[in-house]
Amino acid sequence: MGIVYRCFDPILERDVALKTMQSSFTSMDEESRGRFYREARAAGKLRHPNIVTIYDMGEDAGTPYIAMELLEGTDLHHKMKTEGPLPPRQAVEIVAQVAEGLAYAHGFGIVHRDIKPANIFITKDGAVKILDFGIAKLAASEMTRSGMVLGTVDYMSPEQIRADRAMDGRSDLFSLGVILYELLSAQKPFPGETLTQVMYKIVYEEPVDITTMH
């Protein structure tokens, strides 16, 4: 959805992560742009140890940006790719921290809509942080573009795929359940060779019994 830079804030004298939105977002109409800022402002009010802290947001030469705390560590996607299945205790500890952050956000009526390993960050000291609150809703409007769904469809809830009802926090919990399944088995609960197959299985079939996985 954008590019993240490591930057230095000369006023507060601290390093920050600066995320600029890609070109497709800079060409938004005024209504979409306003919706983006409303979402980001709402997310910016969240203060929880398991949610990345947003410091500032704005525009520069028409390009929207978000300044947030700089994290040292790795995202869960990379950890899963390099380590494979995690010990059950470690997997549960990670998911529990994500659940704490989600419960806090849901209490304010904010749904993430794109919970996936790449949006979960594990710091060097073991803290778990949820990334990209406030911009996933805008991304949903871009999903008809080729390639936008590839990295996320495996973690979508049935209501996200059907798009026939309003989403609430339960959609995030479904995605988190998929992540827990994958952390323990290193496989997806709804495998398929195409996006269409995966989406069909999520909506109409039960997940593969994890006790049968090897």
Side-chain angles (χ1 to χ4, degrees):
M1 294 179 63
I3 301 174
V4 181
Y5 300 91
R6 180 179 184 138
C7 300
F8 181 73
D9 184 340
I11 297 177
L12 297 178
E13 298 185 341
R14 63 182 174 188
D15 289 330
V16 301
L18 189 72
K19 184 165 192 172
T20 60
M21 311 309 291
Q22 65 184 22
S23 58
S24 62
F25 290 91
T26 63
S27 60
M28 305 187 271
D29 57 43
E30 287 304 312
E31 180 180 354
S32 297
R33 190 178 294 268
R35 187 166 60 249
F36 162 73
Y37 282 119
R38 286 194 296 272
E39 289 284 327
R41 287 191 189 97
K45 295 178 181 178
L46 300 177
R47 293 292 182 268
H48 190 275
N50 297 121
I51 299 176
V52 66
T53 300
I54 295 177
Y55 296 141
D56 188 23
M57 58 178 292
E59 282 187 37
D60 182 66
T63 300
Y65 68 84
I66 300 175
M68 62 194 83
E69 67 175 312
L70 181 69
L71 302 175
E72 302 284 352
T74 186
D75 63 68
L76 188 56
H77 173 75
H78 180 74
K79 186 177 181 67
M80 293 165 61
K81 189 174 181 180
T82 57
E83 299 182 19
L86 299 183
R89 180 180 294 275
Q90 184 181 10
V92 170
E93 287 176 351
I94 291 172
V95 168
Q97 289 192 56
V98 176
E100 290 283 353
L102 289 176
Y104 177 82
H106 294 163
F108 287 89
I110 299 176
V111 182
H112 189 287
R113 298 180 178 85
D114 194 20
I115 292 296
K116 58 184 179 181
N119 279 337
I120 298 172
F121 198 91
I122 303 174
T123 67
K124 289 182 176 180
D125 61 3
V128 177
K129 301 271 189 175
I130 305 171
L131 309 179
D132 281 355
F133 259 109
I135 60 177
K137 185 176 182 180
L138 182 63
S141 66
E142 296 289 310
M143 283 185 175
T144 55
R145 301 184 348 154
S146 177
M148 290 299 289
V149 183
L150 291 179
T152 62
V153 67
D154 290 311
Y155 306 96
M156 285 184 179
S157 64
E159 59 267 31
Q160 280 179 286
I161 294 172
R162 291 194 303 259
D164 60 352
R165 66 184 69 177
M167 288 170 48
D168 57 30
R170 290 172 292 183
S171 182
D172 287 342
L173 295 182
F174 181 94
S175 301
L176 186 58
V178 173
I179 291 174
L180 178 58
Y181 184 109
E182 190 175 4
L183 284 173
L184 296 173
S185 68
Q187 303 203 36
K188 301 289 196 305
F190 303 99
E193 295 182 0
T194 67
L195 294 178
T196 302
Q197 289 178 354
V198 174
M199 294 167 77
Y200 180 89
K201 288 184 177 182
I202 290 174
V203 174
Y204 297 107
E205 297 184 6
E206 293 295 317
V208 176
D209 186 345
I210 196 170
T211 62
T212 66
M213 308 295 282
H214 299 287

